[in-house]
Amino acid sequence: MKNIRLIFIVFIGLLIHFKVYAEPVFVSDKGVTTEMNTPTGIVLNPSGSKMYVTGFSSDTGFIAQYSLSVAFSISSASLDENKDISSVLKRPQDIKFNSDGTKVFVISTKSQTGNKDSIAAWSLSTPYDITTLSVSDDAETFFSGTDPRAVDFNTDGSKMFILEQSSNRIAEYKLSTPYDPDSKDSGVGISISKVTNQFYQGFGMSSDGKKMFVVKADHAGNNAINVIEEYDLSVPFNIKTAVINTEVYNSEPDHENEESIGGITFNFSQGANKLYYVDFRDGDLAREFDLPCAYGVISCMNPTSDGDDVGSVEAQSSATKKLIQHTSYPVLNRMEWLRRNKDSMNLTKQNLKLQFSNEILASLSNLLMPSGLTNDNSSLNQSVSTNWSYWSEGTISIGKVGDSLSSSAKSINTTAITIGADKKIGKDRIHGFAFRFGSDDIKVGNLGSALDMGALSLTLYETRPAGDDKFMDILIGASAIKTNLINNSGSVSTDGKRNGQQIFSSIKFRETFTKEKINFTPNIKLDLGLTTLSDYVEKGADGLNLRFGRQNIGTIVTSLGSTIDNTININNGVLKPNIQLEYNADISPSSRQVFEYNSNGENYVIENINNSTHNFKGSLGFDLITDSGLLITSNYERSQNKGVGHTDAFYFAGSLSSRKDEKYTFGIDGIDSFNTKIDYKRSLNGFDIIFSSNYNLTSLIPDYGANIEVSTNF
């Protein structure tokens, strides 16, 4: 009894830990006997409102078009038209459309012209409407003795695939003109095995080109070989990389009568969670099946083998770790700037008024520093008298990470604004706070997958002396993260929303050595952080939707670097150039992302995400301070990963102090567009004169204007 119990436990364990193969579940069928005696091919339009079946009766070829009152449900099909195409093709075998439905392709083993194997391409005046097909308007491409049974194209129509019965192969043809069979090359192919009474009758590829299905139909009543085979392609749409799955789908056990499977298709636009095929023996039917997951005829697609899926997961983890750096750097730069300009009477580094289309950001900026961000001397004097200094810094960062064996390439664009305030305590101690709003726009792969991550961060910081010419910079902060994700496989697009929280800290120790106005400041730094990303479910593709579990991402980065700066006296001011070099060692613990198909709960894991990297960072910048009140701070930064990937960043801040009776404001709206506005106000003999102008930097249609106002109080 104990042995039986042990065997049972082991068996259950095997079921849990080994992959369970998919199995189609029969839904309904639709008889097509009235339209044709031998149905051979089937396809649906992207919206699922139309179904098309090709076939023949003797030597009369047909395309039957049906309207589906319920999308993708063939039981709701009603005949629109049964188009006789026998004047061109006598025995059609399969049907496909181009990407926009303006062309239809039908392959045949017998044509009217010399009874040859051929494919005909017809134009449709109304997309996906066979009733607008003019049979006389044809273009045929002939295949000499290949006995073609099925046809398919890649997503852009640059490749055509033919299932060739007589040569026992699947042929891949390059098309010099997309969707033009006449422009095909000589082709390449792979051989597939054949047994007695077995015919290749159907063929199709997944929308991403990573799976291929071949139908082997029995024309002699041997039920055992009416099967669908599955091939995995390591390179999308490259049949030379196809490897057959050891399992097959045998349709016979699901049906009482003998059948012969013809053409197959899927509901591609809905995530390929439905299978359709025609049966040209058992009642001449079109059949519909539910699949447990995308293309789950035999096995579910493994999302860990999809470079865009893996790239998206890696991009989220990388972006959250970069967020710590991007949030810390402006604050650390501020403390470096304070060190270089500690003797300045006015430590306000930014007098620009920043305007936001986002109401929350606009309210936040006005609340934090309603006076410090204007160019009014009265506010400057006020900030000096209260010992509070205000600053802001804009950031533009552009980066790229190349592809790998498991992950697609990623381009990363970051824009951010940091607004802060700090106060002197004693001679050399300063503490303050900063708010940052940033947005990361990340593109993954070449099919349109992307994510947009926005973060609002609060940072508290302090710089304090740790001895003669020694300083310690400390900061601690928290961020709220919101991410919009798009995953595009070419024909199917999913989207999702994911929130997150982050806490971080940084401590930096630096010592300055000075010789003749040149300062050499070596430093050592430690960055710590913990990010938690919430679970979320993709939407938009039914069986292709993935459910992502909660993910924790730890960050531990140690840095060793130095800064060299100099003070150069110029006419009416000083110029302070600086160079920074830094080596960063990311020793963060590995992160893992667990996810599953939302339809069947099959688990997958991506391990060791962005756990250990090293990079070198260098920057070149300057401070310009003039006696007239002009201050400009700018620096360019390059971060180069050890291996592949880099990030370029540009930082800029500026201010202008003027006369008390003058006021300048400069506005930027960079959230939805790039509108700029400049206002100049001057009081003259009791009158206020205001000049304003605006300009849209990105609009194709010029949008600019100017306005002058004169007012006074009586």
Side-chain angles (χ1 to χ4, degrees):
M1 186 68 182
K2 291 182 178 179
N3 291 335
I4 295 175
R5 187 180 299 153
L6 179 61
I7 293 172
F8 178 78
I9 293 173
V10 172
F11 176 72
I12 295 298
L14 290 173
L15 288 179
I16 293 173
H17 289 93
F18 284 93
K19 183 178 181 69
V20 178
Y21 283 86
E23 185 72 21
V25 177
F26 175 75
V27 176
S28 62
D29 51 33
K30 171 68 177 179
V32 297
T33 306
T34 304
E35 288 75 57
M36 62 200 71
N37 293 333
T38 307
T40 55
I42 184 173
V43 73
L44 284 78
N45 68 343
S47 66
S49 62
K50 298 288 184 182
M51 178 178 71
Y52 314 87
V53 177
T54 57
F56 55 91
S57 297
S58 186
D59 281 343
T60 305
F62 298 98
I63 305 175
Q65 175 178 300
Y66 305 84
S67 289
L68 279 60
S69 58
V70 179
F72 300 103
S73 175
I74 66 173
S75 63
S76 68
S78 59
L79 182 67
D80 293 337
E81 183 170 341
N82 191 29
K83 178 78 69 175
D84 186 344
I85 59 172
S86 55
S87 62
V88 179
L89 304 177
K90 292 182 177 181
R91 293 199 172 188
Q93 299 294 318
D94 198 13
I95 178 173
K96 291 291 186 297
F97 291 87
N98 66 344
S99 57
D100 61 5
T102 57
K103 277 190 174 182
V104 61
F105 304 87
V106 180
I107 201 161
S108 176
T109 57
K110 194 175 185 181
S111 70
Q112 185 65 37
T113 308
N115 292 330
K116 295 180 179 180
D117 303 329
S118 65
I119 182 173
W122 288 287
S123 295
L124 304 176
S125 57
T126 301
Y128 298 105
D129 189 355
I130 299 299
T131 65
T132 65
L133 184 153
S134 177
V135 178
S136 60
D137 181 19
D138 68 282
E140 281 186 271
T141 301
F142 298 99
F143 301 88
S144 178
T146 61
D147 195 14
R149 297 296 175 132
V151 62
D152 208 350
F153 298 88
N154 66 345
T155 51
D156 62 4
S158 62
K159 286 187 177 182
M160 179 176 67
F161 306 89
I162 303 293
L163 175 61
E164 300 176 347
Q165 170 70 29
S166 63
S167 57
N168 301 331
R169 75 166 191 164
I170 300 170
E172 174 185 316
Y173 297 94
K174 292 182 179 179
L175 307 180
S176 58
T177 302
Y179 295 107
D180 182 6
D182 283 332
S183 68
K184 68 180 180 68
D185 65 359
S186 57
V188 297
I190 60 170
S191 298
I192 48 181
S193 61
K194 181 180 180 181
V195 299
T196 305
N197 297 323
Q198 179 180 311
F199 291 80
Y200 305 122
Q201 194 58 50
F203 165 80
M205 306 190 79
S206 63
S207 58
D208 62 0
K210 294 183 178 182
K211 278 187 179 292
M212 180 172 72
F213 301 89
V214 177
V215 175
K216 294 184 177 180
D218 173 30
H219 287 201
N222 186 348
N223 298 341
I225 56 174
N226 277 307
V227 299
I228 300 177
E229 295 179 335
E230 178 186 275
Y231 293 76
D232 294 317
L233 283 68
S234 58
V235 178
F237 298 109
N238 186 340
I239 62 172
K240 287 290 190 181
T241 67
V243 177
I244 191 171
N245 197 311
T246 57
E247 300 289 328
V248 299
Y249 168 67
N250 186 351
S251 66
E252 285 299 326
D254 293 332
H255 309 288
E256 295 180 359
N257 301 320
E258 297 179 351
E259 70 170 0
S260 289
I261 305 175
I264 62 171
T265 193
F266 301 88
N267 59 333
F268 297 101
S269 62
Q270 295 296 304
N273 64 336
K274 282 183 177 292
L275 166 70
Y276 306 86
Y277 65 70
V278 291
D279 176 7
F280 55 85
R281 172 168 296 181
D282 183 13
D284 299 327
L285 299 170
R287 286 197 168 100
E288 173 189 343
F289 297 81
D290 281 340
L291 302 177
C293 56
Y295 303 103
V297 179
I298 297 169
S299 64
C300 293
M301 295 186 67
N302 187 347
T304 64
S305 63
D306 187 299
D308 285 9
D309 283 337
V310 176
S312 179
V313 172
E314 290 182 350
Q316 293 177 65
S317 298
S318 175
T320 60
K321 297 174 74 172
K322 286 288 186 184
L323 175 61
I324 296 176
Q325 299 179 22
H326 290 164
T327 305
S328 301
Y329 281 167
V331 176
L332 293 172
N333 289 341
R334 168 64 176 177
M335 288 188 280
E336 280 283 344
W337 187 92
L338 289 172
R339 177 189 62 80
R340 293 194 301 266
N341 300 276
K342 61 182 179 179
D343 297 327
S344 175
M345 293 297 295
N346 179 20
L347 297 180
T348 294
K349 197 176 68 171
Q350 174 64 284
N351 291 329
L352 302 181
K353 181 181 179 182
L354 300 170
Q355 298 177 338
F356 301 93
S357 61
N358 185 294
E359 295 182 359
I360 297 176
L361 294 177
S363 301
L364 180 63
S365 64
N366 291 331
L367 177 64
L368 289 177
M369 44 207 77
S371 62
L373 292 182
T374 66
N375 200 295
D376 190 349
N377 266 354
S378 62
S379 63
L380 295 179
N381 292 334
Q382 183 183 6
S383 67
V384 172
S385 65
T386 60
N387 254 353
W388 280 98
S389 303
Y390 304 98
W391 61 277
S392 68
E393 186 167 284
T395 305
I396 300 174
S397 175
I398 302 173
K400 183 175 180 64
V401 179
D403 59 355
S404 65
L405 293 177
S406 61
S407 175
S408 299
K410 296 169 283 289
S411 63
I412 307 170
N413 297 327
T414 301
T415 56
I417 180 69
T418 303
I419 303 172
D422 43 45
K423 181 179 181 180
K424 270 188 174 183
I425 303 175
K427 181 180 179 182
D428 294 319
R429 184 178 175 185
I430 297 177
H431 65 195
F433 64 93
F435 285 90
R436 176 190 184 271
F437 177 80
S439 177
D440 290 290
D441 181 16
I442 304 175
K443 293 178 172 58
V444 182
N446 301 313
L447 297 177
S449 297
L451 60 100
D452 180 18
M453 190 184 79
L456 181 63
S457 308
L458 169 65
T459 305
L460 306 178
Y461 62 91
E462 181 174 278
T463 179
R464 61 172 65 184
D468 294 338
D469 297 319
K470 301 181 179 69
F471 287 86
M472 182 178 295
D473 301 331
I474 305 171
L475 64 88
I476 185 172
S479 300
I481 303 170
K482 186 175 182 180
T483 306
N484 297 317
L485 302 107
I486 297 175
N487 191 0
N488 199 331
S489 65
S491 62
V492 178
S493 180
T494 64
D495 61 82
K497 297 183 182 296
R498 193 176 203 183
N499 297 324
Q501 302 82 40
Q502 183 180 85
I503 57 174
F504 58 91
S505 172
S506 182
I507 182 169
K508 182 177 182 180
F509 179 80
R510 49 191 168 90
E511 182 176 5
T512 300
F513 303 90
T514 303
K515 185 176 182 180
E516 296 181 356
K517 296 185 178 182
I518 297 178
N519 298 314
F520 174 69
T521 308
N523 63 81
I524 186 170
K525 178 164 65 76
L526 175 66
D527 295 324
L528 301 172
L530 177 62
T531 307
T532 299
L533 300 180
S534 66
D535 58 346
Y536 77 100
V537 181
E538 294 179 332
K539 298 179 180 179
D542 295 334
L544 197 60
N545 292 330
L546 296 171
R547 178 187 297 273
F548 289 80
R550 180 172 173 161
Q551 183 182 2
N552 294 318
I553 305 166
T555 300
I556 305 175
V557 180
T558 60
S559 305
L560 183 66
S562 65
T563 302
I564 300 175
D565 62 84
N566 188 17
T567 300
I568 303 173
N569 293 318
I570 60 175
N571 292 333
N572 301 316
V574 294
L575 178 67
K576 298 183 178 181
N578 63 88
I579 300 174
Q580 297 184 45
L581 299 174
E582 187 175 281
Y583 169 74
N584 298 296
D586 188 342
I587 55 175
S588 305
S590 63
S591 177
R592 69 197 303 263
Q593 176 66 73
V594 179
F595 54 105
E596 63 188 26
Y597 280 108
N598 196 41
S599 56
N600 70 347
E602 187 170 356
N603 286 326
Y604 302 89
V605 180
I606 299 178
E607 303 273 7
N608 301 320
I609 306 171
N610 298 313
N611 60 316
S612 181
T613 59
H614 302 268
N615 66 73
F616 299 88
K617 187 182 73 171
S619 71
L620 179 66
F622 66 88
D623 301 332
L624 175 63
I625 306 173
T626 69
D627 298 338
S628 62
L630 176 65
L631 187 153
I632 296 177
T633 298
S634 178
N635 73 294
Y636 163 77
E637 177 184 283
R638 161 63 69 97
S639 180
Q640 181 67 53
N641 293 344
K642 186 179 179 181
V644 297
H646 68 270
T647 301
D648 295 307
F650 179 73
Y651 304 90
F652 176 83
S655 66
L656 177 64
S657 300
S658 60
R659 295 163 41 180
K660 290 185 178 182
D661 58 354
E662 292 181 335
K663 181 178 179 181
Y664 302 91
T665 60
F666 176 63
I668 303 175
D669 181 355
I671 305 298
D672 299 322
S673 60
F674 285 93
N675 296 314
T676 63
K677 184 178 182 180
I678 299 176
D679 292 334
Y680 171 77
K681 178 180 179 181
R682 182 171 182 179
S683 298
L684 183 64
N685 297 328
F687 288 88
D688 292 331
I689 303 174
I690 303 173
F691 173 81
S692 61
S693 66
N694 62 80
Y695 190 80
N696 190 320
L697 299 177
T698 59
S699 176
L700 296 177
I701 302 175
D703 182 14
Y704 55 86
N707 184 58
I708 298 179
E709 297 180 15
V710 180
S711 62
T712 187
N713 294 322
F714 296 97

